[in-house]
Amino acid sequence: MGMLPARPRMLALGEPTHGEETLLELRNDLFRQLVEQEGYRTIAIESDCLGGLLVDDHVTSGKGTFDEVMEHGFSHGWGTSAANRALVRWMRAHNEGRPASERLRFAGFDGPLEIAAAESPRQALTALHGYLAARLDADLLPCTAETLDHLLGTDDRWTEPAAMMNPSRSVGRSAEAGELRLLADELAALLDAWTPQLIAASSPDAWDRARLHGRTALGLLRYHYWMADASPARLTRLVGVRDQMMAHNLLAVAARGPVLVYAHNSHLQRGKSTMRMGGAPLEWWSAGALVSAELGAEYAFISTALGTIRHQGVDVPEPGTIEGLLYALPEDRSLVDARRLATVLGDTRPAPRVSPWFGYAPFDPEHLGDSDGIVFVKDAQH
């Protein structure tokens, strides 16, 4: 905090690879420190935003069994992680007996998306419709629940695995999908238009969840629309829509108060994100870049860099890279002021590190000026 110009509303900690327990344990340590010393109350991670509601209910009120929450509250299979399990247990224990205003909150901020597929918009759409139908006159609603169910059809139409590589297998541009997108927009607009009555008839939290369902329904329908696209822009639009969904979720979480965000560096950096998918180079603006543009100085980004991941074939970094420079430091963990490092290096930028393993993205020296700091971890322990 002393390194930053002001206490950020959103402190984003990036990781260069997924699933390394060493980094997740570091995240847990940081969150505990932020809670105890800086008054932070929320952690948001790169996991399904709808599943995250189960985790939030559990840590705030004890709802659901621990094992059920870990199985269904995390996407990407991350509920099996020892560090994620420890985080949820600690948050639940911390909240026991505390008033609602002092309880810790959990949020997933990713869409209900996996690399090879996207979920049906059913859960989000029906939850939004159900919230409105229970509190507003039926005449105000643009459709009935039965109409939604008919237009949605079976969920396997939406989750068709072949659609990621074959646009013609996607239902995203069908007549039903187009009608659902209009209805989702009308339902979300109705939610906003009747905000005072809806909050009075439920609670700010219930209304906030309805907004999450509305954002997710529209985001999923937009994502499926681009899955059905056959133009060269298809993959760029897909990765962009995903990060746009992430950004909207993060801004909603930040409205509650200070939040620690944890995700891949590529989703949190201020500079343009790049990757290769299907043999094509992609460029897009990450969730962090979008949030930073809106929050300004209230957004801080700390990138994590790694020395070795020996169990994945990533050995000691070359001396001429950023990781090589930091590996020469005596500490196992270091916090480096990225902008000061950029100033010291001047016009000379270290060579980018090349990873022998596809699952690890080394620190890009071109992003030194976009980061507020670098957490360097010398060795990831298996």
Side-chain angles (χ1 to χ4, degrees), residues 102-265:
E102 295 179 15
R103 289 177 198 153
L104 305 181
R105 302 289 300 272
F106 178 94
F109 70 92
D110 200 354
L113 307 167
E114 295 285 352
I115 298 230
E119 288 295 316
S120 161
R122 177 183 300 280
Q123 182 184 351
L125 262 180
T126 54
L128 173 61
H129 186 278
Y131 175 85
L132 293 169
R135 295 166 180 86
L136 297 177
D137 291 340
D139 291 346
L140 287 171
L141 272 68
C143 65
T144 64
E146 290 73 22
T147 298
L148 283 183
D149 186 60
H150 171 71
L151 291 170
L152 284 161
T154 59
D155 287 349
D156 57 9
R157 297 170 65 232
W158 300 90
T159 57
E160 164 61 58
M164 179 51 77
M165 301 309 295
N166 184 353
S168 68
R169 299 294 296 274
S170 171
V171 296
R173 297 199 177 185
S174 64
E176 294 88 350
E179 194 168 346
L180 284 167
R181 201 167 169 187
L182 287 172
L183 291 172
D185 184 64
E186 287 299 327
L187 289 167
L190 191 61
L191 180 70
D192 282 347
W194 289 79
T195 291
Q197 179 174 319
L198 291 167
I199 290 178
S202 57
S203 69
D205 262 0
W207 175 80
D208 192 51
R209 287 194 173 196
R211 289 186 74 206
L212 170 61
H213 286 123
R215 289 194 305 273
T216 305
L218 282 165
L220 279 173
L221 287 163
R222 186 176 297 116
Y223 194 90
H224 280 288
Y225 176 86
W226 284 103
M227 282 186 81
D229 180 59
S231 80
R234 178 177 184 264
L235 293 176
T236 299
R237 289 304 302 264
L238 284 174
V239 293
V241 168
R242 181 187 178 196
D243 270 81
Q244 188 180 33
M245 292 174 72
M246 288 181 168
H248 291 162
N249 288 335
L250 286 177
L251 288 168
V253 171
R256 298 180 193 159
V259 53
L260 173 67
V261 178
Y262 188 77
H264 198 279
N265 287 325

Side-chain angles (χ1 to χ4, degrees), residues 21 24 27-28 45 66 70 74 78-89:
E21 292 289 314
L24 298 176
R27 174 206 65 188
N28 290 357
I45 74 167
F66 176 77
M70 296 310 299
F74 289 81
W78 291 339
T80 60
S81 156
N84 284 339
R85 296 172 77 83
L87 173 68
V88 173
R89 281 199 178 99

Side-chain angles (χ1 to χ4, degrees), residues 9 102 141 202 287 303 314 323 333 350 361:
R9 173 176 288 269
E102 295 179 15
L141 272 68
S202 57
S303 175
V314 180
E323 288 88 351
R333 295 179 180 182

